[in-house]
Amino acid sequence: MNEKILKVVFVLTVIAVGLYFTYPELSEAQKISYAKSYGITLILTSGGIVIGIALGFMLAFLKFLNNKFLSFIIDEYVDIIRGTPIVIQLMVFVFIIFATWSNNIAAAIFALGLNSSAYVAEIVRSGINSVDRGQMEAARAMGLGYGTAMKEIVFPQAIKNILPALANEFISLFKETSVVGLVAITDLTFFSKSMQAALYTVQPILFAAVLYYASVKFFSFLVKMLESRLNRND
């Protein structure tokens, strides 16, 4: 049997066994709430990665303008975000910056997005730096402006390194959303913990772990498909 098929069969078996032994007895209302909590996790992840990509790309491109003051500000922003726990950042946004907001989910999306932007900025910077500097120099020698050279010459080559890394950032952010329960957002982790207390069994916690595992495996499969497509013409 093909090695890839064996891996798929193994993963599906692990997930099936995990779901069989961890799935708790739930009422219809609890099943709906479980689905909603998983949906909130996906909303937080999707919203956060959209903000992270938009801001991260902007920061990376501004960094390449070679303005010393601007580069210093961006470097400090990235260091602050990467040097402080996501939990602290989340609390700052929910309890201080957006304390007047009644919707903690929106505040959490901003917090997750800003956190992700620091990592996306580094991903984009590394991807662009992976392209031979001679490409930019040749483009400028041909009379192309910096922006045009970046858009038409450098970035299309860098995208092959950037896209898979961005997809992996999505996976990381998906797991990091598990901290939002600390600000009273009913995501998958928080709801599972509530069910554990209500049902007096650890099954909901283990069930959530299986759901996270299955989701990450699915996302990882999509990332590998993306990488295969990008490498098809190599």
Side-chain angles (χ1 to χ4, degrees):
M1 188 180 291
N2 188 290
E3 183 180 353
K4 291 184 178 180
I5 296 178
L6 281 173
K7 289 181 178 179
V8 171
V9 171
F10 175 78
V11 170
L12 292 177
T13 301
V14 170
I15 293 173
V17 171
L19 292 175
Y20 178 79
F21 286 104
T22 64
Y23 184 74
E25 294 185 9
L26 303 171
S27 65
E28 286 300 318
Q30 290 171 333
K31 290 178 182 178
I32 293 173
S33 296
Y34 241 122
K36 287 181 178 179
S37 68
Y38 183 77
I40 288 173
T41 295
L42 291 179
I43 289 171
L44 291 168
T45 307
S46 301
I49 200 66
V50 167
I51 294 174
I53 288 175
L55 183 56
F57 267 79
M58 184 178 73
L59 293 173
F61 284 122
L62 288 175
K63 185 89 183 289
F64 279 98
L65 293 178
N66 293 323
N67 181 298
K68 290 184 178 181
F69 176 74
L70 198 57
S71 294
F72 172 78
I73 296 299
I74 293 172
D75 286 341
E76 286 305 306
Y77 168 82
V78 171
D79 287 344
I80 290 172
I81 295 296
R82 297 176 68 179
T84 55
I86 179 62
V87 175
I88 300 298
Q89 297 168 22
L90 185 65
M91 289 181 176
V92 167
F93 269 83
V94 173
F95 299 136
I96 300 175
I97 298 177
F98 297 127
T100 58
W101 288 20
S102 59
N103 188 349
N104 286 353
I105 293 178
I109 288 175
F110 274 104
L112 292 168
L114 290 184
N115 179 270
S116 180
S117 70
Y119 295 92
V120 170
E122 288 300 296
I123 289 171
V124 176
R125 184 190 63 78
S126 298
I128 293 175
N129 280 337
S130 68
V131 178
D132 191 335
R133 290 181 179 271
Q135 299 285 331
M136 173 62 78
E137 293 172 0
R140 297 303 296 273
M142 293 172 60
L144 295 179
Y146 177 83
T148 303
M150 184 68 75
K151 178 183 177 183
E152 302 295 337
I153 306 297
V154 177
F155 190 69
Q157 298 177 66
I159 199 69
K160 290 178 63 176
N161 295 325
I162 292 173
L163 282 182
L166 288 180
N168 285 320
E169 171 61 18
F170 176 88
I171 294 173
S172 297
L173 192 62
F174 174 76
K175 293 183 291 183
E176 287 175 358
T177 59
S178 60
V179 303
V180 299
L182 294 174
V183 292
I185 296 177
T186 310
D187 71 315
L188 179 59
T189 299
F190 184 80
F191 185 75
S192 298
K193 185 178 179 181
S194 299
M195 285 293 95
Q196 182 265 332
L199 300 175
Y200 300 101
T201 174
V202 297
Q203 277 186 299
I205 300 295
L206 298 176
F207 178 63
V210 174
L211 288 181
Y212 276 110
Y213 172 78
S215 299
V216 168
K217 276 295 182 180
F218 175 70
F219 297 146
S220 298
F221 171 73
L222 295 180
V223 172
K224 289 180 180 178
M225 286 184 60
L226 176 63
E227 290 177 340
S228 297
R229 175 160 293 189
L230 291 174
N231 294 328
R232 184 176 298 172
N233 297 323
D234 284 352

